[in-house]
Structures are given as C-alpha cells and as structure tokens.
C-alpha cells in the first residue's frame, strides 16, 4: 500500500499514474470518488466549501475500495491523524505501508492549482480562491499532523520527496525511496 500524501497540486495524481505505468496497482483517488457524488449530496456540499469529509464516511469508502489481494495506491487519504491511525490499525497487518510525502511550497501549490483551473478543470474544490485557501489551510492544520504521525508510526515506511523540480527527477527519487 502506497499512500500518496501532500498538498493540493503537489502531483499526487501525476506520480500515481507514473507508478501505475510500471506496476498494476489499484488506484484509489478519494477526491475523485467524492467529487463523483451527486451535486446535491451532503458530500458534494462539503467538498465544494473546501471542508474535509467526516471520518466515518471516509472509513466506509475506504473499506469498500481497498482490496487486500492487490497492491494499491491511495491518493487523498488519510487527511487527519484519526484517519491515519484507523488505516494503520486496520491494514498494517495486511500490507506493507509506504508513505510518499510529496513536498512543495505553498506558492507552487497555488500556481499548479491555477494551471489546472486554466486548463479547464471543473472541479468544485477548485472553484474559488476562498475554497482553495480553505483546502490549503485544512492541509496544513489537519493533514500535516497526520503526515508527522505516520512519519514515526510503527511498521510504516516513510519517504519525503521535494516535488517542486523536474518531474522525471522527482519520479526517480520516488522510485529510489520505494526501493529502499
């Protein structure tokens, strides 16, 4: 199990696709699953504001999505310490868990999100500057503590990759980290 973690726009989806081109991982992109919910659903309303979806909803989603008979990449989960603990408690005995924390400064994250918007993204969570800022605030306030918890969690392999540079060089760093 590979957990792709990092701020919005850091390249989690891009690097996940690159990894899948080399190995038949099952890809679980929680954001895409949540964005596929009907526009009038409670979940759609939550993510359109930039807020995080409640744990219990995500736990159910993950239980339904994780196939313990396949190697998987999870993009966008966990986002909170409680979710990180739940994942380790429920799956560390079924998978070797690797965290790939992709790091980039906020100005680069915002530039990449803006690039995505300018390329025609219709994502409701990219809809406004206020929503983007709220998502980034949630990342720093909620997800960074989860990353830090996972960094020292027993049985979890952790690697941090600076993702602001050349995509091929970053991917080489990811491969090297996974091979350790």
């Amino acid at each position: 199990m590979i957990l792709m973690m990092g701020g919005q726009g850091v390249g989690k989806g891009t690097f996940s696709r690159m990894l899948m081109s080399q190995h038949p991982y099952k890809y679980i992109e929680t954001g895409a699953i949540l964005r596929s919910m009907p526009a009038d659903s409670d979940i759609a309303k939550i993510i359109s504001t930039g807020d995080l979806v409640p744990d219990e909803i995500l736990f159910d989603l993950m239980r339904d999505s994780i196939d313990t008979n396949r190697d998987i990449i999870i993009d966008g989960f966990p986002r909170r310490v409680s979710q990180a603990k739940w994942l380790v408690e429920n799956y560390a005995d079924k998978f070797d868990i690797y965290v790939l924390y992709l790091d980039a400064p906020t100005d680069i994250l915002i530039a990449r999100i803006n690039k995505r918007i300018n390329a025609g993204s219709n994502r409701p969570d990219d809809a406004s500057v206020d929503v983007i800022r709220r998502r980034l605030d949630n990342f720093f306030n909620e997800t960074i503590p989860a990353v830090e918890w996972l960094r020292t969690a027993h049985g979890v392999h952790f690697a941090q990759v600076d993702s602001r540079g050349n995509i091929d060089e970053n991917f080489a760093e990811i491969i090297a980290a996974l091979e350790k």
Side-chain angles (χ1 to χ4, degrees), residues 19-35:
L19 285 170
M20 289 185 302
S21 73
Q22 296 187 352
H23 184 81
Y25 293 101
K26 177 181 179 179
Y27 182 49
I28 302 170
E29 184 183 6
T30 55
I33 295 168
L34 295 172
R35 286 188 299 275

Side-chain angles (χ1 to χ4, degrees), residues 39-73:
D40 61 347
S41 70
D42 290 340
I43 291 173
K45 291 173 187 170
I46 291 168
I47 64 171
S48 71
T49 65
D51 285 333
L52 297 176
V53 174
D55 286 355
E56 289 306 318
I57 292 170
L58 288 171
F59 295 160
D60 289 343
L61 174 76
M62 297 314 299
R63 271 188 214 99
D64 292 344
S65 300
I66 293 173
D67 177 352
T68 58
N69 296 312
R70 292 190 60 190
D71 293 338
I72 60 174
I73 297 174

